[in-house]
Amino acid sequence: MLGLATRARKTVSGTELVIGEIKKGKLKCIIIASDLAENSHKEVLAALNDRPIPVVDAFSADEISQAVGKRRKVLALTDQGFAKALLAKIKEGV
């Protein structure tokens, strides 16, 4: 799912880019690696500032990187369809 979204150019990656897009209100879902440094994790969550954007931390950096084909620890979806599909798959346990 993440690889397809990345190929469709419906993702933003990297802590600073994701934080910038949070402030613009363009993100539908944020994926944070479960092994992300604590300071970076807090920085992303602080940027949410009560915005209702779902945050997923169920994947390691290796899993995210394998899915998108690049080394990534913070990734966000900009498309509502991809976000809904990913959240549904996670809820199903896939």
Side-chain angles (χ1 to χ4, degrees):
M1 180 72 60
L2 293 178
L4 183 60
T6 300
R7 287 188 293 280
R9 298 180 189 253
K10 301 295 183 186
T11 62
V12 176
S13 61
T15 304
E16 296 304 318
L17 289 175
V18 168
I19 288 171
E21 293 299 310
I22 288 171
K23 293 176 182 177
K24 292 178 185 177
K26 296 187 176 196
L27 301 181
K28 307 304 179 197
C29 180
I30 299 171
I31 299 97
I32 299 175
S34 57
D35 52 351
L36 181 65
E38 187 177 340
N39 289 341
S40 296
H41 192 267
K42 287 180 182 179
E43 188 178 350
V44 172
L45 295 180
L48 287 172
N49 196 27
D50 296 327
R51 289 180 177 88
I53 301 171
V55 176
V56 175
D57 63 356
F59 307 109
S60 70
D62 288 338
E63 292 170 322
I64 294 170
S65 298
Q66 184 177 10
V68 300
K70 297 178 185 175
R71 187 79 180 142
R72 297 291 181 250
K73 292 187 177 187
V74 179
L75 184 77
L77 297 170
T78 60
D79 181 81
Q80 187 65 41
F82 279 117
K84 281 184 180 180
L86 176 67
L87 294 170
K89 289 287 185 188
I90 291 170
K91 190 173 184 178
E92 289 174 11
V94 175

